[in-house]
Coordinates of all heavy atoms in Angstrom, one line a residue:
M24 N 0.8 -1.2 0.0 CA 0.0 0.0 0.0 C 0.9 1.3 0.0 O 1.9 1.3 0.7 CB -0.9 0.0 1.2 CG -1.9 1.1 1.3 SD -2.8 1.1 2.8 CE -4.0 -0.2 2.5
K25 N 0.5 2.2 -0.8 CA 1.3 3.5 -0.9 C 0.4 4.6 -0.3 O -0.7 4.8 -0.7 CB 1.6 3.8 -2.4 CG 2.3 5.1 -2.6 CD 2.7 5.2 -4.1 CE 3.4 6.5 -4.4 NZ 3.8 6.6 -5.8
I26 N 1.1 5.4 0.6 CA 0.4 6.4 1.3 C 1.1 7.8 1.1 O 2.3 7.8 1.1 CB 0.5 6.1 2.9 CG1 -0.1 4.8 3.2 CG2 -0.2 7.3 3.7 CD1 -1.6 4.7 3.2
I27 N 0.2 8.8 0.9 CA 0.8 10.2 0.8 C 0.4 10.9 2.1 O -0.7 10.8 2.6 CB 0.1 10.9 -0.4 CG1 0.4 10.2 -1.7 CG2 0.6 12.4 -0.4 CD1 -0.4 10.8 -2.9
I28 N 1.4 11.5 2.7 CA 1.2 12.3 3.9 C 1.5 13.8 3.6 O 2.6 14.1 3.3 CB 2.0 11.8 5.1 CG1 1.7 10.4 5.4 CG2 1.8 12.7 6.3 CD1 2.5 9.7 6.5
A29 N 0.5 14.6 3.6 CA 0.6 16.1 3.3 C 0.7 16.8 4.7 O 0.0 16.5 5.6 CB -0.5 16.6 2.5
G30 N 1.7 17.7 4.8 CA 2.0 18.3 6.1 C 2.9 17.4 6.9 O 2.9 17.4 8.1
A31 N 3.8 16.7 6.2 CA 4.7 15.7 6.8 C 5.7 16.3 7.7 O 6.2 15.5 8.6 CB 5.4 14.9 5.7
S32 N 6.0 17.5 7.6 CA 7.0 18.1 8.5 C 6.4 18.6 9.8 O 7.2 19.0 10.7 CB 7.7 19.3 7.8 OG 6.8 20.2 7.4
G33 N 5.1 18.5 10.0 CA 4.5 19.0 11.2 C 4.5 18.0 12.3 O 5.0 16.9 12.2
F34 N 3.9 18.4 13.4 CA 3.9 17.6 14.6 C 3.2 16.3 14.4 O 3.7 15.2 14.7 CB 3.2 18.4 15.7 CG 3.0 17.7 17.0 CD1 4.1 17.5 17.9 CD2 1.8 17.2 17.4 CE1 3.9 16.9 19.1 CE2 1.6 16.5 18.6 CZ 2.7 16.4 19.5
V35 N 2.0 16.4 13.8 CA 1.2 15.2 13.5 C 1.8 14.4 12.3 O 2.0 13.1 12.4 CB -0.3 15.5 13.2 CG1 -1.0 14.2 12.8 CG2 -0.9 16.2 14.4
G36 N 2.3 15.1 11.3 CA 2.8 14.4 10.1 C 4.0 13.6 10.5 O 4.1 12.5 10.0
K37 N 4.9 14.1 11.3 CA 6.1 13.3 11.7 C 5.8 12.0 12.4 O 6.4 11.0 12.1 CB 7.0 14.1 12.5 CG 7.8 15.2 11.7 CD 8.9 15.8 12.6 CE 8.7 17.2 12.8 NZ 9.6 17.9 13.5
E38 N 4.8 12.0 13.2 CA 4.4 10.8 13.9 C 3.7 9.9 13.0 O 3.9 8.6 13.0 CB 3.4 11.2 15.1 CG 2.9 10.0 15.9 CD 4.0 9.1 16.5 OE1 5.1 9.5 16.6 OE2 3.6 7.9 16.8
L39 N 2.9 10.4 12.0 CA 2.3 9.5 11.0 C 3.3 8.8 10.2 O 3.2 7.6 9.9 CB 1.4 10.4 10.1 CG 0.0 10.8 10.6 CD1 -0.6 11.9 9.7 CD2 -0.9 9.6 10.8
I40 N 4.4 9.5 9.8 CA 5.5 8.9 9.1 C 6.1 7.8 9.9 O 6.3 6.7 9.4 CB 6.5 10.0 8.7 CG1 6.0 10.9 7.7 CG2 7.8 9.3 8.2 CD1 6.9 12.1 7.4
R41 N 6.4 8.1 11.1 CA 7.0 7.0 12.0 C 6.2 5.8 12.0 O 6.7 4.7 11.9 CB 7.3 7.6 13.4 CG 8.2 6.8 14.2 CD 8.3 7.4 15.6 NE 7.1 7.3 16.4 CZ 6.7 6.1 17.0 NH1 7.5 5.1 16.9 NH2 5.6 6.1 17.6
Q42 N 4.9 6.0 12.2 CA 4.0 4.8 12.3 C 3.8 4.1 11.0 O 3.8 2.8 10.9 CB 2.6 5.2 12.9 CG 2.8 5.7 14.3 CD 1.4 5.7 15.1 OE1 0.5 5.0 14.7 NE2 1.4 6.5 16.1
C43 N 3.7 4.8 9.9 CA 3.5 4.2 8.6 C 4.7 3.4 8.2 O 4.6 2.3 7.6 CB 3.2 5.3 7.5 SG 1.5 5.9 7.6
L44 N 5.9 3.9 8.5 CA 7.1 3.2 8.1 C 7.3 1.9 8.8 O 7.9 0.9 8.3 CB 8.4 4.1 8.4 CG 8.5 5.3 7.5 CD1 9.8 6.1 8.0 CD2 8.6 5.0 6.1
R45 N 6.7 1.8 10.0 CA 6.8 0.5 10.8 C 5.7 -0.5 10.3 O 5.8 -1.7 10.8 CB 6.6 0.9 12.3 CG 7.7 1.7 12.8 CD 7.4 2.1 14.2 NE 7.5 0.9 15.1 CZ 7.4 1.0 16.4 NH1 7.3 2.2 17.0 NH2 7.4 -0.1 17.1
M46 N 4.8 -0.1 9.5 CA 3.7 -1.1 9.2 C 4.1 -1.8 7.9 O 4.3 -1.3 6.8 CB 2.4 -0.3 8.9 CG 1.8 0.3 10.1 SD 0.2 1.1 9.8 CE -0.8 -0.4 9.6
P47 N 4.2 -3.2 8.0 CA 4.6 -4.0 6.9 C 3.7 -3.9 5.7 O 4.1 -4.0 4.5 CB 4.6 -5.4 7.4 CG 4.6 -5.3 8.9 CD 4.0 -4.0 9.2
T48 N 2.4 -3.6 5.9 CA 1.5 -3.5 4.8 C 1.6 -2.2 4.0 O 1.1 -2.1 2.9 CB 0.0 -3.6 5.3 OG1 -0.2 -2.6 6.3 CG2 -0.4 -5.0 5.8
I49 N 2.3 -1.2 4.6 CA 2.6 0.0 3.8 C 4.0 -0.1 3.2 O 5.0 -0.3 3.9 CB 2.5 1.2 4.8 CG1 1.1 1.4 5.3 CG2 3.0 2.5 4.1 CD1 0.8 2.5 6.2
T50 N 4.0 0.0 1.9 CA 5.3 -0.3 1.2 C 5.9 1.0 0.7 O 7.1 1.0 0.3 CB 5.0 -1.2 0.0 OG1 3.9 -0.6 -0.8 CG2 4.6 -2.6 0.4
S51 N 5.2 2.1 0.7 CA 5.7 3.4 0.2 C 5.0 4.5 1.0 O 3.8 4.5 1.1 CB 5.5 3.5 -1.3 OG 6.0 4.7 -1.7
V52 N 5.8 5.5 1.4 CA 5.3 6.7 2.1 C 5.9 7.9 1.4 O 7.1 8.1 1.4 CB 5.7 6.7 3.6 CG1 5.2 8.0 4.3 CG2 5.2 5.5 4.3
V53 N 5.0 8.7 0.8 CA 5.4 9.9 0.1 C 5.1 11.1 1.1 O 3.9 11.3 1.4 CB 4.6 10.1 -1.2 CG1 5.0 11.5 -1.8 CG2 4.9 9.0 -2.1
A54 N 6.1 11.8 1.5 CA 6.0 12.8 2.5 C 6.0 14.2 1.8 O 7.1 14.6 1.3 CB 7.1 12.7 3.5
L55 N 4.9 14.9 1.9 CA 4.8 16.2 1.2 C 5.0 17.3 2.2 O 4.3 17.3 3.3 CB 3.5 16.4 0.5 CG 3.0 15.4 -0.5 CD1 1.7 15.9 -1.1 CD2 4.0 15.3 -1.6
S56 N 5.8 18.3 1.9 CA 5.9 19.5 2.8 C 6.7 20.5 2.1 O 7.3 20.3 1.0 CB 6.7 19.1 4.1 OG 8.0 18.9 3.8
R57 N 6.7 21.8 2.6 CA 7.5 22.8 2.0 C 8.9 22.7 2.4 O 9.8 23.0 1.7 CB 6.9 24.2 2.4 CG 5.5 24.5 1.9 CD 5.0 25.8 2.4 NE 5.0 25.8 3.9 CZ 4.6 26.8 4.6 NH1 4.2 28.0 4.0 NH2 4.6 26.8 5.9
R58 N 9.2 22.3 3.7 CA 10.5 22.3 4.3 C 11.3 21.1 4.0 O 12.5 21.0 4.1 CB 10.4 22.5 5.8 CG 10.1 23.8 6.3 CD 9.9 23.8 7.8 NE 8.6 23.3 8.2 CZ 8.4 22.9 9.4 NH1 9.3 23.0 10.4 NH2 7.2 22.5 9.8
G59 N 10.6 20.0 3.8 CA 11.2 18.7 3.7 C 11.3 18.1 5.1 O 11.2 18.8 6.1
V60 N 11.4 16.8 5.2 CA 11.4 16.1 6.5 C 12.7 15.2 6.7 O 13.2 14.7 5.7 CB 10.2 15.2 6.7 CG1 8.9 16.0 6.8 CG2 10.1 14.1 5.6
S61 N 13.1 15.1 7.9 CA 14.2 14.2 8.2 C 13.6 12.9 8.6 O 12.6 12.8 9.2 CB 15.0 14.7 9.4 OG 15.5 16.0 9.2
P62 N 14.2 11.7 8.2 CA 13.7 10.4 8.6 C 13.7 10.3 10.1 O 14.6 10.9 10.7 CB 14.6 9.4 8.0 CG 15.4 10.2 6.9 CD 15.4 11.6 7.4
P63 N 12.7 9.7 10.7 CA 12.7 9.5 12.1 C 13.9 8.7 12.6 O 14.3 7.8 11.9 CB 11.4 8.8 12.4 CG 10.8 8.5 11.1 CD 11.6 9.1 10.0
D64 N 14.4 9.0 13.8 CA 15.5 8.3 14.4 C 15.1 6.8 14.6 O 14.0 6.6 15.1 CB 15.9 8.9 15.7 CG 16.6 10.3 15.5 OD1 17.1 10.5 14.4 OD2 16.6 11.0 16.4
N65 N 16.0 5.9 14.4 CA 15.8 4.5 14.7 C 14.5 3.9 14.1 O 13.9 3.0 14.7 CB 15.8 4.3 16.2 CG 17.1 4.7 16.8 OD1 18.2 4.5 16.2 ND2 17.1 5.4 18.0
S66 N 14.1 4.5 13.0 CA 12.8 4.0 12.5 C 13.0 2.8 11.6 O 14.0 2.9 10.7 CB 12.1 5.1 11.8 OG 10.9 4.6 11.2
E67 N 12.2 1.9 11.7 CA 12.2 0.8 10.7 C 11.6 1.3 9.4 O 10.8 2.2 9.4 CB 11.3 -0.4 11.2 CG 11.7 -1.0 12.5 CD 10.5 -1.7 13.1 OE1 9.7 -2.3 12.4 OE2 10.4 -1.7 14.4
G68 N 12.0 0.7 8.3 CA 11.4 1.0 7.0 C 11.7 2.4 6.4 O 11.0 2.9 5.5
V69 N 12.9 3.0 6.8 CA 13.2 4.3 6.3 C 13.3 4.3 4.7 O 13.1 5.3 4.1 CB 14.5 4.8 7.0 CG1 15.1 6.0 6.2 CG2 14.2 5.2 8.4
S70 N 13.7 3.2 4.2 CA 13.9 3.1 2.7 C 12.5 3.3 2.0 O 12.5 3.5 0.8 CB 14.5 1.8 2.3 OG 13.7 0.7 2.7
K71 N 11.4 3.1 2.7 CA 10.1 3.3 2.1 C 9.7 4.8 1.9 O 8.7 5.1 1.3 CB 9.0 2.6 2.9 CG 9.2 1.1 3.0 CD 8.0 0.5 3.7 CE 8.0 0.5 5.1 NZ 6.9 -0.3 5.7
L72 N 10.5 5.7 2.6 CA 10.2 7.1 2.6 C 10.6 7.9 1.4 O 11.8 7.8 1.1 CB 10.7 7.7 3.9 CG 10.5 9.2 4.2 CD1 9.0 9.4 4.4 CD2 11.2 9.7 5.4
R73 N 9.7 8.7 0.8 CA 10.1 9.6 -0.3 C 9.7 11.0 0.2 O 8.6 11.3 0.5 CB 9.2 9.3 -1.6 CG 9.5 8.0 -2.2 CD 10.7 8.0 -3.2 NE 10.5 9.1 -4.2 CZ 11.5 9.6 -4.9 NH1 12.7 9.3 -4.6 NH2 11.3 10.5 -5.8
N74 N 10.8 11.8 0.2 CA 10.6 13.2 0.6 C 10.3 14.1 -0.6 O 11.1 14.1 -1.5 CB 12.0 13.6 1.2 CG 11.8 14.5 2.4 OD1 10.8 15.3 2.5 ND2 12.8 14.5 3.2
V75 N 9.1 14.7 -0.7 CA 8.7 15.5 -1.9 C 8.4 16.9 -1.4 O 7.4 17.0 -0.6 CB 7.6 14.8 -2.6 CG1 7.1 15.6 -3.8 CG2 7.9 13.4 -3.1
K76 N 9.1 17.9 -1.9 CA 8.8 19.2 -1.5 C 7.7 19.8 -2.4 O 7.7 19.7 -3.6 CB 10.1 20.1 -1.6 CG 11.1 19.7 -0.5 CD 12.1 20.8 -0.4 CE 13.1 20.3 0.7 NZ 14.3 21.2 0.8
V77 N 6.8 20.5 -1.8 CA 5.7 21.2 -2.4 C 5.6 22.6 -2.0 O 5.5 22.9 -0.8 CB 4.3 20.5 -2.1 CG1 3.1 21.2 -2.6 CG2 4.3 19.0 -2.6
S78 N 5.8 23.5 -2.9 CA 5.7 25.0 -2.5 C 4.3 25.5 -2.6 O 4.0 26.5 -1.9 CB 6.7 25.8 -3.4 OG 6.4 25.6 -4.7
D79 N 3.5 24.9 -3.4 CA 2.1 25.5 -3.5 C 1.1 24.3 -3.7 O 1.2 23.6 -4.7 CB 2.1 26.3 -4.8 CG 0.7 26.9 -5.1 OD1 -0.3 26.6 -4.3 OD2 0.6 27.6 -6.1
Y80 N 0.3 24.1 -2.7 CA -0.6 22.9 -2.7 C -1.8 23.1 -3.7 O -2.6 22.2 -3.8 CB -1.2 22.7 -1.3 CG -0.2 22.0 -0.4 CD1 0.6 22.7 0.5 CD2 -0.1 20.6 -0.4 CE1 1.5 22.0 1.3 CE2 0.8 19.9 0.4 CZ 1.6 20.7 1.3 OH 2.5 20.0 2.0
D81 N -1.8 24.3 -4.3 CA -2.8 24.5 -5.4 C -2.3 24.1 -6.8 O -3.0 24.0 -7.7 CB -3.4 25.9 -5.4 CG -4.3 26.2 -4.2 OD1 -5.0 25.3 -3.8 OD2 -4.2 27.3 -3.7
N82 N -1.0 24.0 -6.9 CA -0.3 23.7 -8.2 C 0.8 22.6 -8.0 O 1.8 22.9 -7.3 CB 0.3 24.9 -8.7 CG -0.8 25.9 -9.2 OD1 -1.6 25.7 -10.1 ND2 -0.9 27.0 -8.4
Y83 N 0.6 21.5 -8.6 CA 1.6 20.4 -8.5 C 2.3 20.3 -9.8 O 1.7 20.0 -10.9 CB 1.0 19.1 -8.1 CG 0.2 19.1 -6.8 CD1 -1.2 19.3 -6.8 CD2 0.9 19.0 -5.6 CE1 -1.9 19.3 -5.6 CE2 0.2 19.1 -4.4 CZ -1.1 19.2 -4.4 OH -1.8 19.3 -3.2
P84 N 3.6 20.5 -9.9 CA 4.4 20.3 -11.1 C 4.3 18.8 -11.5 O 4.1 18.0 -10.7 CB 5.8 20.7 -10.8 CG 5.8 21.3 -9.4 CD 4.5 21.0 -8.8
D85 N 4.7 18.5 -12.8 CA 4.6 17.1 -13.2 C 5.4 16.2 -12.4 O 5.0 15.0 -12.2 CB 5.0 17.1 -14.7 CG 3.9 17.7 -15.6 OD1 2.8 17.9 -15.2 OD2 4.2 18.0 -16.8
D86 N 6.6 16.6 -12.0 CA 7.5 15.7 -11.3 C 6.9 15.3 -9.9 O 7.1 14.2 -9.4 CB 8.9 16.3 -11.1 CG 8.9 17.6 -10.4 OD1 8.0 18.4 -10.5 OD2 9.9 17.9 -9.7
V87 N 6.1 16.3 -9.3 CA 5.5 16.0 -8.1 C 4.3 15.1 -8.3 O 4.0 14.1 -7.6 CB 5.0 17.3 -7.4 CG1 4.1 17.0 -6.2 CG2 6.3 18.1 -6.9
R88 N 3.5 15.4 -9.4 CA 2.3 14.5 -9.7 C 2.7 13.1 -9.9 O 2.0 12.1 -9.5 CB 1.6 15.0 -11.0 CG 0.7 16.2 -10.8 CD 0.2 16.6 -12.1 NE -0.5 17.9 -12.0 CZ -1.7 18.0 -11.7 NH1 -2.5 17.0 -11.5 NH2 -2.3 19.2 -11.5
K89 N 3.9 12.9 -10.5 CA 4.4 11.5 -10.8 C 4.5 10.7 -9.5 O 4.3 9.5 -9.4 CB 5.7 11.5 -11.5 CG 5.6 11.4 -13.0 CD 7.0 11.4 -13.6 CE 7.1 10.2 -14.5 NZ 8.3 10.1 -15.2
E90 N 4.9 11.4 -8.4 CA 5.1 10.8 -7.1 C 3.8 10.2 -6.6 O 3.8 9.4 -5.7 CB 5.7 11.7 -6.1 CG 7.0 12.3 -6.5 CD 8.2 11.3 -6.3 OE1 8.0 10.2 -5.8 OE2 9.3 11.7 -6.8
F91 N 2.6 10.7 -7.1 CA 1.3 10.3 -6.6 C 0.8 9.0 -7.2 O -0.1 8.4 -6.8 CB 0.3 11.4 -6.8 CG 0.6 12.7 -6.1 CD1 0.0 13.9 -6.6 CD2 1.5 12.8 -5.1 CE1 0.3 15.1 -6.0 CE2 1.8 14.0 -4.5 CZ 1.2 15.2 -5.0
D92 N 1.5 8.6 -8.3 CA 1.0 7.4 -9.1 C 0.9 6.2 -8.2 O 1.8 5.9 -7.4 CB 2.0 7.1 -10.2 CG 1.9 8.1 -11.4 OD1 0.9 8.9 -11.4 OD2 2.7 8.0 -12.3
G93 N -0.2 5.6 -8.3 CA -0.4 4.3 -7.6 C -0.7 4.4 -6.1 O -0.8 3.4 -5.4
A94 N -0.9 5.7 -5.6 CA -1.2 5.9 -4.2 C -2.6 5.3 -3.8 O -3.5 5.4 -4.6 CB -1.1 7.3 -3.8
N95 N -2.7 4.7 -2.6 CA -4.0 4.2 -2.2 C -4.7 5.1 -1.2 O -5.9 5.0 -1.1 CB -3.7 2.9 -1.4 CG -3.0 1.9 -2.3 OD1 -1.8 1.7 -2.2 ND2 -3.8 1.2 -3.1
A96 N -4.0 6.1 -0.6 CA -4.6 7.0 0.4 C -3.7 8.2 0.6 O -2.5 8.1 0.4 CB -4.8 6.3 1.7
C97 N -4.4 9.3 0.9 CA -3.7 10.5 1.3 C -4.2 11.0 2.7 O -5.4 11.0 2.9 CB -3.9 11.6 0.3 SG -3.2 13.2 0.8
I98 N -3.2 11.2 3.6 CA -3.6 11.8 4.9 C -3.2 13.2 4.9 O -2.0 13.5 4.7 CB -2.9 11.0 6.0 CG1 -3.2 9.5 5.9 CG2 -3.4 11.5 7.4 CD1 -2.4 8.6 6.9
W99 N -4.1 14.1 5.1 CA -3.9 15.6 5.0 C -3.8 16.2 6.4 O -4.7 16.3 7.1 CB -5.0 16.2 4.2 CG -4.8 17.6 3.8 CD1 -5.1 18.7 4.6 CD2 -4.3 18.1 2.6 NE1 -4.8 19.8 3.9 CE2 -4.3 19.5 2.7 CE3 -3.7 17.4 1.4 CZ2 -3.8 20.3 1.7 CZ3 -3.3 18.3 0.4 CH2 -3.3 19.6 0.5
Y100 N -2.5 16.7 6.7 CA -2.3 17.4 7.9 C -1.6 18.7 7.7 O -0.7 19.0 8.5 CB -1.6 16.5 9.0 CG -2.7 15.8 9.9 CD1 -3.1 14.5 9.7 CD2 -3.2 16.6 10.9 CE1 -4.0 14.0 10.6 CE2 -4.2 16.0 11.7 CZ -4.6 14.7 11.6 OH -5.5 14.2 12.4
V101 N -1.9 19.4 6.7 CA -1.3 20.7 6.4 C -2.1 21.7 7.2 O -3.4 21.7 7.3 CB -1.4 21.1 4.9 CG1 -0.9 22.5 4.7 CG2 -0.7 20.1 4.1
L102 N -1.4 22.6 7.9 CA -2.0 23.6 8.7 C -2.2 24.8 7.8 O -1.2 25.4 7.3 CB -1.2 24.0 9.9 CG -1.6 25.1 10.8 CD1 -2.9 24.6 11.6 CD2 -0.6 25.4 11.8
F103 N -3.4 25.3 7.6 CA -3.6 26.5 6.8 C -4.1 27.6 7.7 O -4.8 27.4 8.6 CB -4.6 26.2 5.7 CG -4.0 25.6 4.5 CD1 -4.3 24.3 4.2 CD2 -3.1 26.3 3.7 CE1 -3.7 23.7 3.1 CE2 -2.5 25.7 2.6 CZ -2.8 24.4 2.2
Ligands
LIG215 N1 -1.2 18.8 17.1 C1 -2.3 18.3 17.6 O1 -2.4 17.7 18.8 C2 -3.6 18.3 16.8 C3 -4.7 17.7 17.2 C4 -5.8 17.7 16.5 C5 -5.8 18.3 15.2 N2 -4.7 18.9 14.8 C6 -4.8 19.6 13.5 O2 -3.8 19.0 12.6 C7 -3.3 19.9 11.7 C8 -1.8 19.9 11.8 O3 -1.4 20.0 13.1 P1 0.2 20.0 13.6 O4 0.2 20.1 15.0 O5 0.8 18.8 12.9 O6 0.7 21.4 12.9 P2 2.2 21.8 12.6 O7 3.2 21.1 13.4 O8 2.2 23.3 12.6 O9 2.4 21.3 11.1 C9 1.7 21.9 10.1 C10 2.1 21.4 8.7 O10 1.5 22.2 7.7 C11 2.5 22.8 6.9 N3 2.1 24.2 6.7 C12 1.8 25.2 7.6 N4 1.4 26.3 7.0 C13 1.4 26.1 5.7 C14 1.0 26.8 4.6 N5 0.7 28.1 4.7 N6 1.1 26.3 3.3 C15 1.5 25.0 3.2 N7 1.8 24.2 4.2 C16 1.8 24.7 5.5 C17 3.8 22.7 7.6 O11 4.8 22.3 6.7 P3 5.9 23.1 6.0 O12 6.1 24.4 6.7 O13 7.2 22.2 5.9 O14 5.3 23.2 4.7 C18 3.6 21.5 8.5 O15 4.0 20.3 7.9 C19 -3.9 21.3 12.1 O16 -4.9 21.6 11.3 C20 -4.3 21.0 13.6 O17 -5.4 21.9 13.9 C21 -3.6 18.9 15.5

């Protein structure tokens, strides 16, 4: 299962990443944020994490859209 987490650099987003990376049924985690995220310390499954920077959530360039291919779910935790 492939999951997109928007707002990945935030308080909730970072914990979501940590938990998703530990779940064997989740094979890919795409972390969207403006700042980028550091992989959690001592986390299992770090190789499943894709860090994708988004400067404008109303406009996704083609290279960012490609990262969404095959996703099963998106968890939205962007603070507006
Ligand atoms: N923390 C809690 O206990 C809690 C509980 C219930 C509900 N919530 C809700 O969950 C949401 C996230 O909470 P949080 O505590 O994780 O917040 P947070 O730590 O401030 O994180 C917010 C995220 O949104 C992004 N962001 C902030 N302003 C933005 C903007 N103008 N444009 C694009 N991205 C922006 C930030 O990433 P970048 O700056 O890297 O882009 C960051 O990843 C909020 O709506 C909050 O009300 C939080």
Side-chain angles (χ1 to χ4, degrees):
M24 183 183 286
K25 178 174 177 176
I26 304 286
I27 298 168
I28 299 174
S32 57
F34 178 78
V35 177
K37 282 192 246 182
E38 178 58 17
L39 283 168
I40 289 174
R41 196 184 67 79
Q42 293 198 23
C43 286
L44 292 178
R45 295 177 64 174
M46 293 184 71
T48 51
I49 295 179
T50 52
S51 177
V52 177
V53 177
L55 301 185
S56 70
R57 294 176 302 177
R58 286 177 280 167
V60 294
S61 306
D64 291 339
N65 301 320
S66 179
E67 300 160 34
V69 164
S70 62
K71 297 190 278 186
L72 181 64
R73 292 273 306 156
N74 215 334
V75 177
K76 289 195 183 176
V77 172
S78 54
D79 177 0
Y80 282 96
D81 288 327
N82 292 293
Y83 300 100
D85 288 344
D86 59 328
V87 171
R88 280 177 191 271
K89 265 185 128 173
E90 300 285 353
F91 303 159
D92 286 351
N95 301 98
C97 174
I98 305 173
W99 188 272
Y100 263 102
V101 176
L102 179 68
F103 279 109

